[in-house]
Amino acid sequence: MMFRFIHTGDIHLDSPLRGLAGQQGAAADRIRTATRTAFANLVDYAIEEAVNFFIIAGDLYDGDWRDYQTGLFFVAQMGRLAKAGIPVFLLYGNHDAESQITKRLTLPENVRAFSSRKPETFEIEDLRVALHGQSFRQRDITDNLVLAYPAPIEGAFNIGVLHTGLGGMPGHANYAPCSLDDLVNKGYDYWALAHVHQGTVLHQDPYVVFCGNLQGRHMRETGAKSASVVTVEDGQVVDIAPVEADVVRWVHVPVPVDEINSFSEVIDRLARAIEESAGNAGGRLIACRIELTGRTALHDQLLSSHAQLDVEARAAALALGDEAAWIERVVISTEPEVGAPANDAANAPDDFAAILGEASNDPAFLAQLEAELGELVRKLPHDIRADTDSGELSAALNGEYPALVSEASRYLKARLAAEGA
């Protein structure tokens, strides 16, 4: 007997993608709807390929809905799967735990949600498949749920569905902690895991698999994102393949500017790098963070022209078409050439240079900055505050005032040097 199923999770429907505050246009609109489109693409694939069933291993949602539209969208997609005769097995994770989602809608009959009270087993008798899982009741689950999962059903292909930090994976809260040995020794044939956003196969025989998130949402989630389609023959997993349903790829684009002697050459190289990255995305929109690197005589000019570089990057992206590339931000990580002669303007007046150098370590100055800038930051609208994960605004939001002063000092010194060149 042969069957196939979809293993997905960490969909985060309608999650607010970062970096979009105040952005308009087709690319920004596409990014805003990316989580929905990616999920619809995965449903398309499941129907076209006539898979036998569909597993969602947690974090379908991103927290409580703003309104019922998020739930209605999901119900509509489940209705499409119901029409195609594809059952869905849904487990709620930390972002969509019962305590996190206050709004609920009745789901189509093809959707079976795992209980949050204790582990529950669903069987697909004609395929001889048993699925075991437990949803989260609240966000912060610190118990090892695996210990209470039932023994495997003899003669069935047993699948464990679990949302877990697996003992503390880098960058992820350690919810529902367990060990790899706990999973391997349970006697199941496949573990469908979610919570860790990087897809990976942790073990074979039995297979222990994190599907990864379906759509990248910010610069910490770069590269291709996907679900898994699993093929089973005669009770054995014979293939696990990615289903790349994502519609936006977050990309870090390094642009080395060593040995470049003119600002216009930098712009040309930046534009070529964006075009090359867009060409490698399979027709998807790329959301780019551009980083200029290397030692260059233009270091001071680049720092002092940050705003212009940002606009030039956006122009280069738009020149590729409405939905080829979008610029999240431009980062300047260049350094002066070794042995470059000092520019008097960069050090004049001497007392100003000394103030800049010492400001980040001056408690009185930092306290004054926190009092004045902190009050301004606290008055920012919520969507602006939630829409950044790096840069100067992030430093201000997080109270990292020494880092903020150091960055401002770096810019001011470069501006003085550029103007005095």
Side-chain angles (χ1 to χ4, degrees):
M1 178 184 293
M2 188 273 284
F3 60 85
R4 291 185 303 159
F5 63 91
I6 294 290
H7 166 202
T8 189
D10 297 304
I11 296 157
H12 295 279
L13 275 181
D14 291 343
S15 169
L17 276 69
R18 296 179 180 175
L20 292 176
Q23 297 289 335
Q24 302 297 328
D29 290 341
R30 189 171 178 184
I31 295 172
R32 286 188 177 93
T33 60
T35 57
R36 285 194 182 198
T37 307
F39 189 63
N41 286 347
L42 182 60
V43 171
D44 288 343
Y45 176 90
I47 294 171
E48 291 166 3
E49 295 295 320
V51 301
N52 296 90
F53 55 97
F54 197 106
I55 298 172
I56 301 174
D59 286 359
L60 165 65
Y61 303 119
D62 193 57
D64 208 8
W65 311 337
R66 290 186 178 182
D67 55 44
Y68 279 99
Q69 294 305 311
T70 301
L72 289 171
F73 172 81
F74 178 65
V75 169
Q77 299 307 311
M78 295 301 95
R80 296 175 59 208
L81 291 174
K83 186 176 180 180
I86 299 173
V88 178
F89 301 92
L90 170 62
L91 182 143
Y92 293 115
N94 56 289
H95 277 276
D96 42 26
E98 288 183 0
S99 62
Q100 294 293 110
I101 304 294
T102 62
K103 307 178 186 71
R104 294 287 182 186
L105 290 173
T106 302
L107 298 175
E109 292 183 358
N110 66 315
V111 181
R112 305 187 73 178
F114 289 100
S115 170
S116 64
R117 294 187 298 276
K118 62 180 182 179
E120 186 172 11
T121 298
F122 296 122
E123 294 188 61
I124 309 175
E125 294 183 359
D126 59 335
L127 297 178
R128 297 200 295 277
V129 169
L131 299 99
H132 317 277
Q134 181 175 352
S135 292
F136 281 29
R137 179 173 293 182
Q138 69 268 356
R139 179 186 179 95
D140 301 318
I141 295 289
T142 58
D143 297 331
N144 184 345
L145 300 180
V146 175
L147 300 179
Y149 274 40
I153 293 177
E154 188 174 352
F157 184 86
N158 288 269
I159 300 174
V161 185
L162 180 66
H163 202 80
T164 178
L166 197 69
M169 300 287 279
H172 296 81
N174 191 21
Y175 296 131
C178 63
S179 70
L180 185 58
D181 284 344
D182 290 336
L183 304 178
V184 170
N185 295 331
K186 196 69 183 182
Y188 294 174
D189 301 288
Y190 184 94
W191 278 97
L193 307 182
H195 182 57
V196 175
H197 286 191
Q198 184 61 48
T200 183
V201 177
L202 296 174
H203 194 272
Q204 298 182 24
D205 193 24
Y207 274 88
V208 179
V209 181
F210 276 111
C211 57
N213 61 329
L214 191 60
Q215 170 61 61
R217 300 169 300 147
H218 45 69
M219 281 303 304
R220 295 194 302 275
E221 298 178 348
T222 57
K225 297 296 179 179
S226 62
S228 299
V229 57
V230 183
T231 303
V232 177
E233 288 186 10
D234 298 325
Q236 299 292 323
V237 174
V238 296
D239 187 53
I240 301 176
V243 182
E244 295 181 353
D246 57 333
V247 294
V248 177
R249 293 263 169 97
W250 293 80
V251 183
H252 173 244
V253 182
V255 181
V257 296
D258 308 77
E259 302 178 1
I260 290 182
N261 297 314
S262 74
F263 191 80
S264 62
E265 287 183 75
V266 173
I267 301 303
D268 289 343
R269 183 168 292 186
L270 182 152
R272 287 198 300 272
I274 295 171
E275 184 175 9
E276 289 173 4
S277 295
N280 294 328
R284 295 170 177 83
L285 171 70
I286 58 169
C288 311
R289 177 174 293 178
I290 311 298
E291 183 176 13
L292 304 185
T293 65
R295 293 188 177 274
T296 173
L298 300 173
H299 170 73
D300 293 329
Q301 184 181 357
L302 295 175
L303 276 177
S304 62
S305 304
H306 200 162
Q308 183 181 351
L309 285 167
D310 186 77
V311 173
E312 292 283 4
R314 295 181 190 280
L318 288 171
L320 300 176
D322 281 345
E323 298 186 31
W326 177 83
I327 308 302
E328 182 250 5
R329 66 191 299 241
V330 175
V331 177
I332 301 172
S333 300
T334 58
E335 297 180 22
E337 288 184 319
V338 175
N343 189 307
D344 290 341
N347 301 308
D350 291 339
D351 57 346
F352 180 62
I355 291 171
L356 290 177
E358 297 172 2
S360 62
N361 297 313
D362 184 336
F365 176 76
L366 292 176
Q368 182 180 357
L369 182 64
E370 181 176 5
E372 297 180 4
L373 184 58
E375 180 63 25
L376 178 63
V377 166
R378 284 188 288 273
K379 292 180 180 179
L380 288 173
H382 174 75
D383 59 342
I384 300 294
R385 294 170 59 87
D387 198 38
T388 183
D389 64 347
S390 60
E392 293 78 9
L393 179 56
S394 177
L397 287 170
N398 296 324
E400 299 168 354
Y401 296 107
L404 189 63
V405 172
S406 295
E407 185 61 27
S409 300
R410 182 170 175 256
Y411 169 78
L412 289 172
K413 289 179 180 180
R415 186 65 181 265
L416 284 170
E419 291 181 353

